Amino acid sequence: MLIEISGWIPAVIILGAIILQLATMLRRGSSAGVNGTVWLMFGIANLCLYIYTEKYWELQSIVGLLGSALLDFVIAGLAYGRYGLRNLSSS
């Protein structure tokens, strides 16, 4: 039981933190101040950790690691795509 709960705690906290970042970006309508490289690295780390743990069918791993990696890549893509930022050089 303790191991089961211990698997959900980081899954919920990490995913919650990522959702907060994504929600902030969407609410602001901008990726200003968001470092795409950092979020890309988080995504790669979560994906590699999923592979390393070898718990491919456990819901905590799928939600906590694969779900987090997917959202990390979404944030990185928005940051690299300069979401909501105007091209200041064309003004």
Side-chain angles (χ1 to χ4, degrees), residues 42-58 60-67 69 73:
F42 281 145
I44 292 168
N46 281 322
L47 192 59
C48 290
L49 190 56
Y50 173 78
I51 294 167
Y52 175 75
T53 61
E54 297 182 6
K55 296 185 182 234
Y56 306 119
W57 304 111
E58 291 199 20
Q60 295 97 324
S61 290
I62 294 168
V63 170
L65 298 173
L66 286 184
F73 293 139

PDB file of all heavy atoms in Angstrom, residues 42-58 60-67 69 73:
ATOM      1  N   PHE A  42      13.386  18.112 -19.674  1.00  0.00           N
ATOM      2  CA  PHE A  42      12.474  17.432 -18.746  1.00  0.00           C
ATOM      3  C   PHE A  42      11.718  16.313 -19.467  1.00  0.00           C
ATOM      4  O   PHE A  42      11.541  15.217 -18.927  1.00  0.00           O
ATOM      5  CB  PHE A  42      11.459  18.407 -18.150  1.00  0.00           C
ATOM      6  CG  PHE A  42      11.977  19.267 -17.033  1.00  0.00           C
ATOM      7  CD1 PHE A  42      11.526  20.573 -16.908  1.00  0.00           C
ATOM      8  CD2 PHE A  42      12.882  18.791 -16.107  1.00  0.00           C
ATOM      9  CE1 PHE A  42      11.979  21.385 -15.881  1.00  0.00           C
ATOM     10  CE2 PHE A  42      13.344  19.587 -15.075  1.00  0.00           C
ATOM     11  CZ  PHE A  42      12.890  20.890 -14.966  1.00  0.00           C
ATOM     12  N   GLY A  43      11.273  16.588 -20.676  1.00  0.00           N
ATOM     13  CA  GLY A  43      10.550  15.577 -21.450  1.00  0.00           C
ATOM     14  C   GLY A  43      11.403  14.358 -21.743  1.00  0.00           C
ATOM     15  O   GLY A  43      10.957  13.218 -21.575  1.00  0.00           O
ATOM     16  N   ILE A  44      12.627  14.589 -22.167  1.00  0.00           N
ATOM     17  CA  ILE A  44      13.547  13.491 -22.445  1.00  0.00           C
ATOM     18  C   ILE A  44      13.835  12.709 -21.173  1.00  0.00           C
ATOM     19  O   ILE A  44      13.843  11.473 -21.175  1.00  0.00           O
ATOM     20  CB  ILE A  44      14.844  14.016 -23.096  1.00  0.00           C
ATOM     21  CG1 ILE A  44      14.542  14.554 -24.504  1.00  0.00           C
ATOM     22  CG2 ILE A  44      15.919  12.928 -23.151  1.00  0.00           C
ATOM     23  CD1 ILE A  44      15.674  15.351 -25.122  1.00  0.00           C
ATOM     24  N   ALA A  45      14.047  13.419 -20.066  1.00  0.00           N
ATOM     25  CA  ALA A  45      14.329  12.756 -18.786  1.00  0.00           C
ATOM     26  C   ALA A  45      13.154  11.888 -18.350  1.00  0.00           C
ATOM     27  O   ALA A  45      13.340  10.743 -17.917  1.00  0.00           O
ATOM     28  CB  ALA A  45      14.646  13.792 -17.713  1.00  0.00           C
ATOM     29  N   ASN A  46      11.931  12.400 -18.466  1.00  0.00           N
ATOM     30  CA  ASN A  46      10.755  11.617 -18.081  1.00  0.00           C
ATOM     31  C   ASN A  46      10.589  10.393 -18.972  1.00  0.00           C
ATOM     32  O   ASN A  46      10.249   9.311 -18.503  1.00  0.00           O
ATOM     33  CB  ASN A  46       9.494  12.478 -18.112  1.00  0.00           C
ATOM     34  CG  ASN A  46       9.370  13.346 -16.890  1.00  0.00           C
ATOM     35  OD1 ASN A  46       9.701  12.933 -15.788  1.00  0.00           O
ATOM     36  ND2 ASN A  46       8.892  14.561 -17.074  1.00  0.00           N
ATOM     37  N   LEU A  47      10.827  10.551 -20.263  1.00  0.00           N
ATOM     38  CA  LEU A  47      10.734   9.428 -21.198  1.00  0.00           C
ATOM     39  C   LEU A  47      11.777   8.364 -20.871  1.00  0.00           C
ATOM     40  O   LEU A  47      11.467   7.166 -20.816  1.00  0.00           O
ATOM     41  CB  LEU A  47      10.908   9.944 -22.625  1.00  0.00           C
ATOM     42  CG  LEU A  47      10.583   9.006 -23.754  1.00  0.00           C
ATOM     43  CD1 LEU A  47       9.146   8.533 -23.680  1.00  0.00           C
ATOM     44  CD2 LEU A  47      10.848   9.700 -25.080  1.00  0.00           C
ATOM     45  N   CYS A  48      12.997   8.785 -20.614  1.00  0.00           N
ATOM     46  CA  CYS A  48      14.066   7.842 -20.268  1.00  0.00           C
ATOM     47  C   CYS A  48      13.797   7.159 -18.927  1.00  0.00           C
ATOM     48  O   CYS A  48      14.068   5.956 -18.778  1.00  0.00           O
ATOM     49  CB  CYS A  48      15.420   8.550 -20.252  1.00  0.00           C
ATOM     50  SG  CYS A  48      15.976   9.036 -21.893  1.00  0.00           S
ATOM     51  N   LEU A  49      13.274   7.887 -17.974  1.00  0.00           N
ATOM     52  CA  LEU A  49      12.949   7.302 -16.675  1.00  0.00           C
ATOM     53  C   LEU A  49      11.845   6.259 -16.811  1.00  0.00           C
ATOM     54  O   LEU A  49      11.880   5.210 -16.160  1.00  0.00           O
ATOM     55  CB  LEU A  49      12.544   8.391 -15.680  1.00  0.00           C
ATOM     56  CG  LEU A  49      12.398   7.965 -14.224  1.00  0.00           C
ATOM     57  CD1 LEU A  49      13.682   7.312 -13.703  1.00  0.00           C
ATOM     58  CD2 LEU A  49      12.039   9.162 -13.364  1.00  0.00           C
ATOM     59  N   TYR A  50      10.872   6.516 -17.685  1.00  0.00           N
ATOM     60  CA  TYR A  50       9.814   5.536 -17.955  1.00  0.00           C
ATOM     61  C   TYR A  50      10.432   4.234 -18.484  1.00  0.00           C
ATOM     62  O   TYR A  50      10.078   3.149 -18.028  1.00  0.00           O
ATOM     63  CB  TYR A  50       8.808   6.111 -18.955  1.00  0.00           C
ATOM     64  CG  TYR A  50       7.785   5.109 -19.403  1.00  0.00           C
ATOM     65  CD1 TYR A  50       6.710   4.789 -18.577  1.00  0.00           C
ATOM     66  CD2 TYR A  50       7.880   4.484 -20.634  1.00  0.00           C
ATOM     67  CE1 TYR A  50       5.761   3.861 -18.976  1.00  0.00           C
ATOM     68  CE2 TYR A  50       6.939   3.566 -21.039  1.00  0.00           C
ATOM     69  CZ  TYR A  50       5.882   3.252 -20.211  1.00  0.00           C
ATOM     70  OH  TYR A  50       4.957   2.333 -20.605  1.00  0.00           O
ATOM     71  N   ILE A  51      11.352   4.358 -19.412  1.00  0.00           N
ATOM     72  CA  ILE A  51      12.015   3.173 -19.970  1.00  0.00           C
ATOM     73  C   ILE A  51      12.846   2.475 -18.904  1.00  0.00           C
ATOM     74  O   ILE A  51      12.807   1.253 -18.766  1.00  0.00           O
ATOM     75  CB  ILE A  51      12.884   3.566 -21.186  1.00  0.00           C
ATOM     76  CG1 ILE A  51      11.976   4.051 -22.334  1.00  0.00           C
ATOM     77  CG2 ILE A  51      13.768   2.408 -21.637  1.00  0.00           C
ATOM     78  CD1 ILE A  51      12.721   4.753 -23.452  1.00  0.00           C
ATOM     79  N   TYR A  52      13.565   3.244 -18.112  1.00  0.00           N
ATOM     80  CA  TYR A  52      14.453   2.693 -17.086  1.00  0.00           C
ATOM     81  C   TYR A  52      13.688   1.918 -16.015  1.00  0.00           C
ATOM     82  O   TYR A  52      14.145   0.874 -15.558  1.00  0.00           O
ATOM     83  CB  TYR A  52      15.264   3.821 -16.441  1.00  0.00           C
ATOM     84  CG  TYR A  52      16.113   3.369 -15.289  1.00  0.00           C
ATOM     85  CD1 TYR A  52      17.281   2.649 -15.517  1.00  0.00           C
ATOM     86  CD2 TYR A  52      15.754   3.656 -13.980  1.00  0.00           C
ATOM     87  CE1 TYR A  52      18.069   2.221 -14.458  1.00  0.00           C
ATOM     88  CE2 TYR A  52      16.530   3.232 -12.922  1.00  0.00           C
ATOM     89  CZ  TYR A  52      17.680   2.514 -13.169  1.00  0.00           C
ATOM     90  OH  TYR A  52      18.448   2.092 -12.116  1.00  0.00           O
ATOM     91  N   THR A  53      12.538   2.419 -15.602  1.00  0.00           N
ATOM     92  CA  THR A  53      11.813   1.765 -14.510  1.00  0.00           C
ATOM     93  C   THR A  53      11.211   0.427 -14.915  1.00  0.00           C
ATOM     94  O   THR A  53      10.914  -0.396 -14.058  1.00  0.00           O
ATOM     95  CB  THR A  53      10.677   2.660 -13.962  1.00  0.00           C
ATOM     96  OG1 THR A  53       9.746   2.929 -15.009  1.00  0.00           O
ATOM     97  CG2 THR A  53      11.227   3.942 -13.379  1.00  0.00           C
ATOM     98  N   GLU A  54      11.015   0.202 -16.224  1.00  0.00           N
ATOM     99  CA  GLU A  54      10.455  -1.040 -16.756  1.00  0.00           C
ATOM    100  C   GLU A  54       9.077  -1.365 -16.177  1.00  0.00           C
ATOM    101  O   GLU A  54       8.697  -2.522 -16.077  1.00  0.00           O
ATOM    102  CB  GLU A  54      11.412  -2.213 -16.534  1.00  0.00           C
ATOM    103  CG  GLU A  54      12.728  -2.073 -17.261  1.00  0.00           C
ATOM    104  CD  GLU A  54      13.638  -3.255 -17.073  1.00  0.00           C
ATOM    105  OE1 GLU A  54      13.228  -4.275 -16.470  1.00  0.00           O
ATOM    106  OE2 GLU A  54      14.781  -3.176 -17.536  1.00  0.00           O
ATOM    107  N   LYS A  55       8.331  -0.337 -15.821  1.00  0.00           N
ATOM    108  CA  LYS A  55       6.959  -0.536 -15.318  1.00  0.00           C
ATOM    109  C   LYS A  55       6.006   0.008 -16.377  1.00  0.00           C
ATOM    110  O   LYS A  55       5.253   0.943 -16.144  1.00  0.00           O
ATOM    111  CB  LYS A  55       6.780   0.155 -13.968  1.00  0.00           C
ATOM    112  CG  LYS A  55       7.674  -0.456 -12.910  1.00  0.00           C
ATOM    113  CD  LYS A  55       7.434   0.134 -11.554  1.00  0.00           C
ATOM    114  CE  LYS A  55       8.405  -0.513 -10.588  1.00  0.00           C
ATOM    115  NZ  LYS A  55       7.792  -1.092  -9.467  1.00  0.00           N
ATOM    116  N   TYR A  56       6.036  -0.643 -17.534  1.00  0.00           N
ATOM    117  CA  TYR A  56       5.378  -0.128 -18.722  1.00  0.00           C
ATOM    118  C   TYR A  56       3.858  -0.098 -18.626  1.00  0.00           C
ATOM    119  O   TYR A  56       3.226   0.689 -19.314  1.00  0.00           O
ATOM    120  CB  TYR A  56       5.802  -0.929 -19.950  1.00  0.00           C
ATOM    121  CG  TYR A  56       7.298  -0.997 -20.111  1.00  0.00           C
ATOM    122  CD1 TYR A  56       7.965  -2.211 -20.088  1.00  0.00           C
ATOM    123  CD2 TYR A  56       8.045   0.163 -20.268  1.00  0.00           C
ATOM    124  CE1 TYR A  56       9.337  -2.276 -20.236  1.00  0.00           C
ATOM    125  CE2 TYR A  56       9.426   0.112 -20.408  1.00  0.00           C
ATOM    126  CZ  TYR A  56      10.061  -1.117 -20.391  1.00  0.00           C
ATOM    127  OH  TYR A  56      11.415  -1.162 -20.533  1.00  0.00           O
ATOM    128  N   TRP A  57       3.257  -0.945 -17.831  1.00  0.00           N
ATOM    129  CA  TRP A  57       1.799  -1.041 -17.785  1.00  0.00           C
ATOM    130  C   TRP A  57       1.213  -0.525 -16.474  1.00  0.00           C
ATOM    131  O   TRP A  57       0.017  -0.655 -16.257  1.00  0.00           O
ATOM    132  CB  TRP A  57       1.363  -2.484 -18.043  1.00  0.00           C
ATOM    133  CG  TRP A  57       1.905  -2.967 -19.348  1.00  0.00           C
ATOM    134  CD1 TRP A  57       2.868  -3.928 -19.521  1.00  0.00           C
ATOM    135  CD2 TRP A  57       1.580  -2.508 -20.654  1.00  0.00           C
ATOM    136  NE1 TRP A  57       3.155  -4.075 -20.848  1.00  0.00           N
ATOM    137  CE2 TRP A  57       2.376  -3.218 -21.577  1.00  0.00           C
ATOM    138  CE3 TRP A  57       0.699  -1.541 -21.135  1.00  0.00           C
ATOM    139  CZ2 TRP A  57       2.307  -3.001 -22.944  1.00  0.00           C
ATOM    140  CZ3 TRP A  57       0.638  -1.337 -22.514  1.00  0.00           C
ATOM    141  CH2 TRP A  57       1.425  -2.058 -23.387  1.00  0.00           C
ATOM    142  N   GLU A  58       2.047   0.067 -15.610  1.00  0.00           N
ATOM    143  CA  GLU A  58       1.537   0.610 -14.353  1.00  0.00           C
ATOM    144  C   GLU A  58       1.047   2.034 -14.584  1.00  0.00           C
ATOM    145  O   GLU A  58       1.736   2.863 -15.178  1.00  0.00           O
ATOM    146  CB  GLU A  58       2.611   0.571 -13.267  1.00  0.00           C
ATOM    147  CG  GLU A  58       2.920  -0.854 -12.852  1.00  0.00           C
ATOM    148  CD  GLU A  58       3.616  -0.951 -11.516  1.00  0.00           C
ATOM    149  OE1 GLU A  58       3.541   0.008 -10.723  1.00  0.00           O
ATOM    150  OE2 GLU A  58       4.222  -1.998 -11.286  1.00  0.00           O
ATOM    151  N   GLN A  60       0.707   4.578 -12.675  1.00  0.00           N
ATOM    152  CA  GLN A  60       1.534   5.661 -12.135  1.00  0.00           C
ATOM    153  C   GLN A  60       2.644   6.043 -13.116  1.00  0.00           C
ATOM    154  O   GLN A  60       2.942   7.220 -13.298  1.00  0.00           O
ATOM    155  CB  GLN A  60       2.178   5.272 -10.796  1.00  0.00           C
ATOM    156  CG  GLN A  60       1.210   5.047  -9.684  1.00  0.00           C
ATOM    157  CD  GLN A  60       0.886   3.568  -9.519  1.00  0.00           C
ATOM    158  OE1 GLN A  60       0.809   2.823 -10.488  1.00  0.00           O
ATOM    159  NE2 GLN A  60       0.672   3.148  -8.287  1.00  0.00           N
ATOM    160  N   SER A  61       3.262   5.048 -13.742  1.00  0.00           N
ATOM    161  CA  SER A  61       4.332   5.319 -14.710  1.00  0.00           C
ATOM    162  C   SER A  61       3.787   5.957 -15.978  1.00  0.00           C
ATOM    163  O   SER A  61       4.389   6.888 -16.521  1.00  0.00           O
ATOM    164  CB  SER A  61       5.068   4.029 -15.080  1.00  0.00           C
ATOM    165  OG  SER A  61       5.824   3.567 -14.001  1.00  0.00           O
ATOM    166  N   ILE A  62       2.663   5.465 -16.429  1.00  0.00           N
ATOM    167  CA  ILE A  62       2.081   6.006 -17.657  1.00  0.00           C
ATOM    168  C   ILE A  62       1.666   7.458 -17.453  1.00  0.00           C
ATOM    169  O   ILE A  62       2.027   8.333 -18.236  1.00  0.00           O
ATOM    170  CB  ILE A  62       0.890   5.139 -18.118  1.00  0.00           C
ATOM    171  CG1 ILE A  62       1.394   3.746 -18.524  1.00  0.00           C
ATOM    172  CG2 ILE A  62       0.136   5.805 -19.260  1.00  0.00           C
ATOM    173  CD1 ILE A  62       0.293   2.722 -18.730  1.00  0.00           C
ATOM    174  N   VAL A  63       0.936   7.718 -16.378  1.00  0.00           N
ATOM    175  CA  VAL A  63       0.459   9.076 -16.109  1.00  0.00           C
ATOM    176  C   VAL A  63       1.619   9.986 -15.706  1.00  0.00           C
ATOM    177  O   VAL A  63       1.801  11.068 -16.270  1.00  0.00           O
ATOM    178  CB  VAL A  63      -0.615   9.073 -15.001  1.00  0.00           C
ATOM    179  CG1 VAL A  63      -0.945  10.484 -14.541  1.00  0.00           C
ATOM    180  CG2 VAL A  63      -1.870   8.362 -15.477  1.00  0.00           C
ATOM    181  N   GLY A  64       2.406   9.534 -14.735  1.00  0.00           N
ATOM    182  CA  GLY A  64       3.453  10.372 -14.163  1.00  0.00           C
ATOM    183  C   GLY A  64       4.629  10.632 -15.070  1.00  0.00           C
ATOM    184  O   GLY A  64       5.196  11.719 -15.062  1.00  0.00           O
ATOM    185  N   LEU A  65       4.999   9.641 -15.866  1.00  0.00           N
ATOM    186  CA  LEU A  65       6.187   9.799 -16.703  1.00  0.00           C
ATOM    187  C   LEU A  65       5.850  10.070 -18.164  1.00  0.00           C
ATOM    188  O   LEU A  65       6.340  11.033 -18.748  1.00  0.00           O
ATOM    189  CB  LEU A  65       7.094   8.574 -16.561  1.00  0.00           C
ATOM    190  CG  LEU A  65       7.637   8.354 -15.146  1.00  0.00           C
ATOM    191  CD1 LEU A  65       8.380   7.027 -15.037  1.00  0.00           C
ATOM    192  CD2 LEU A  65       8.530   9.502 -14.723  1.00  0.00           C
ATOM    193  N   LEU A  66       5.024   9.228 -18.765  1.00  0.00           N
ATOM    194  CA  LEU A  66       4.678   9.458 -20.170  1.00  0.00           C
ATOM    195  C   LEU A  66       3.781  10.689 -20.330  1.00  0.00           C
ATOM    196  O   LEU A  66       3.969  11.475 -21.259  1.00  0.00           O
ATOM    197  CB  LEU A  66       3.992   8.231 -20.766  1.00  0.00           C
ATOM    198  CG  LEU A  66       4.883   7.038 -21.069  1.00  0.00           C
ATOM    199  CD1 LEU A  66       4.070   5.942 -21.740  1.00  0.00           C
ATOM    200  CD2 LEU A  66       6.064   7.427 -21.923  1.00  0.00           C
ATOM    201  N   GLY A  67       2.811  10.838 -19.423  1.00  0.00           N
ATOM    202  CA  GLY A  67       1.952  12.024 -19.480  1.00  0.00           C
ATOM    203  C   GLY A  67       2.751  13.297 -19.288  1.00  0.00           C
ATOM    204  O   GLY A  67       2.561  14.283 -20.010  1.00  0.00           O
ATOM    205  N   ALA A  69       5.990  13.669 -19.861  1.00  0.00           N
ATOM    206  CA  ALA A  69       6.862  13.858 -21.024  1.00  0.00           C
ATOM    207  C   ALA A  69       6.085  14.495 -22.174  1.00  0.00           C
ATOM    208  O   ALA A  69       6.572  15.438 -22.812  1.00  0.00           O
ATOM    209  CB  ALA A  69       7.462  12.523 -21.468  1.00  0.00           C
ATOM    210  N   PHE A  73       6.905  18.194 -23.763  1.00  0.00           N
ATOM    211  CA  PHE A  73       7.174  18.431 -25.185  1.00  0.00           C
ATOM    212  C   PHE A  73       6.212  19.472 -25.760  1.00  0.00           C
ATOM    213  O   PHE A  73       6.604  20.263 -26.632  1.00  0.00           O
ATOM    214  CB  PHE A  73       7.120  17.128 -25.981  1.00  0.00           C
ATOM    215  CG  PHE A  73       8.222  16.161 -25.630  1.00  0.00           C
ATOM    216  CD1 PHE A  73       7.951  14.810 -25.515  1.00  0.00           C
ATOM    217  CD2 PHE A  73       9.523  16.582 -25.404  1.00  0.00           C
ATOM    218  CE1 PHE A  73       8.953  13.901 -25.190  1.00  0.00           C
ATOM    219  CE2 PHE A  73      10.544  15.691 -25.082  1.00  0.00           C
ATOM    220  CZ  PHE A  73      10.249  14.349 -24.975  1.00  0.00           C
TER     221      PHE A  73
END
